Amino acid sequence: MTMPVAVDANERLGQNDVTYVEALECSTVFTLLSTESAGQTAADYEELAARWLVIAMRRDGTPDGSLADAEFIPMMEDLVDVLNDVPDPAAADRFIDDMIGFCEAKEAEIAGEFYSIRV
C-alpha cells in the first residue's frame, strides 16, 4: 500500500466531502501524533483519530467498517515508513504540518458529521 498523503493535499481540498482514504489518512496522522504527545494534547489527538476512523469506517463500502479496520495498521506502517525515509527532520515536520492542515480543512467541510460522532 502506498501513502496517498504524499500527493499534494491542496489538490484535494474544496470537494465538500471526504473520501474513505482521506479519512483513514487523517486517522493515522492523528494516531501517530497521539503516540508522540502527552497529557491533554495526546487525548485531543486520540479523539480526532477516533472520529476520523469512524468517518473512514462509514465510507469504506462495508456494512461494518471492516475494511477501514483491516487497512488502518498497514496505512499507519506506511506513514511511519514515509516519515522514516525523509532525510531531513524539518521536512518530515512540514509533511505532518501539511497533513494536519489538510485534515483540519476537511474537518471543516464535514463539520456536522464530524462533530456528531461521540467518542
Side-chain angles (χ1 to χ4, degrees):
M1 177 181 290
T2 59
M3 280 299 289
V5 293
V7 175
D8 182 9
N10 290 325
E11 293 178 12
R12 297 185 286 162
L13 291 177
Q15 297 172 359
N16 293 324
D17 196 12
V18 174
T19 67
Y20 159 70
V21 171
E22 291 168 341
L24 201 57
E25 290 170 355
C26 291
S27 183
T28 60
V29 166
F30 287 114
T31 298
L32 177 67
L33 291 169
S34 75
T35 65
E36 296 183 0
S37 302
Q40 186 59 45
T41 301
D44 291 344
Y45 286 143
E46 288 171 6
E47 182 178 319
L48 290 169
R51 287 176 193 241
W52 279 117
L53 185 57
V54 170
I55 299 290
M57 293 174 87
R58 289 178 176 174
R59 287 165 169 71
D60 77 1
T62 64
D64 60 357
S66 58
L67 181 62
D69 190 43
E71 290 189 334
F72 177 80
I73 295 296
M75 187 172 278
M76 187 75 193
E77 291 169 347
D78 286 349
L79 175 60
V80 171
D81 289 344
V82 165
L83 293 172
N84 286 337
D85 288 343
V86 176
D88 177 18
D93 288 345
R94 283 190 305 275
F95 179 84
I96 291 293
D97 289 344
D98 288 348
M99 282 310 302
I100 291 170
F102 172 77
C103 294
E104 288 173 344
K106 284 298 192 175
E107 175 186 323
E109 291 178 7
I110 60 162
E113 178 183 10
F114 192 83
Y115 290 106
S116 71
I117 297 169
R118 303 285 176 230
V119 291

